[in-house]
């Protein structure tokens, strides 16, 4: 479960990086929060993901920087086959405009 959560978090960050290289002012990079619930991620029905993008965190680089945080949630399966309590994995990166 944790490996899948790490993959899903990295997958979303790689998508954001690609969007930032193609078009910095793109809608996918606007500040805000995107929630993908359980069952909404292809091939990952037991996972959910929350993506948060913040503009110019700390004011260090004005409009050229964005802080991206992806939190992947999963429920590990116990030995008896029951879903255990939800766990989370956070991955954070800074995106910087090239121009």
């Amino acid at each position: 479960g944790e490996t899948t959560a790490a993959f899903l978090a990295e997958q979303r960050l790689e998508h954001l990086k690609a969007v930032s290289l193609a078009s910095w002012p793109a809608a996918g990079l606007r500040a805000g929060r995107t929630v993908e619930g359980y069952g909404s991620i292809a091939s990952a029905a037991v996972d959910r993901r929350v993506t948060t993008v913040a503009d110019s965190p700390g004011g260090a680089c004005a409009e050229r920087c964005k802080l991206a945080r992806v939190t992947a949630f999963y429920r590990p399966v116990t030995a008896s086959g029951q879903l255990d309590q939800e766990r989370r994995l956070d991955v954070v990166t800074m995106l910087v405009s090239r121009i």
Side-chain angles (χ1 to χ4, degrees), residues 27 67 73 75 79-80:
L67 182 70
F73 297 87
R75 290 190 179 121
S80 63

Side-chain angles (χ1 to χ4, degrees), residues 8-79:
L8 292 171
E10 288 293 334
Q11 179 186 50
R12 175 59 65 206
L13 286 179
E14 290 301 321
H15 171 74
L16 292 173
K17 288 177 190 177
V19 169
S20 73
L21 289 172
S23 175
W24 184 253
L29 289 178
R30 288 193 187 130
R33 188 173 180 210
T34 303
V35 177
E36 298 167 278
Y38 287 110
S40 68
I41 303 170
S43 301
V46 296
D47 297 273
R48 69 182 183 98
R49 184 167 54 191
V50 176
T51 304
T52 306
V53 176
D55 289 333
S56 58
C61 55
E63 66 276 347
R64 292 186 53 233
C65 296
K66 295 180 183 285
L67 182 70
R69 172 186 298 272
V70 179
T71 304
F73 297 87
Y74 66 99
R75 290 190 179 121
V77 178
T78 65

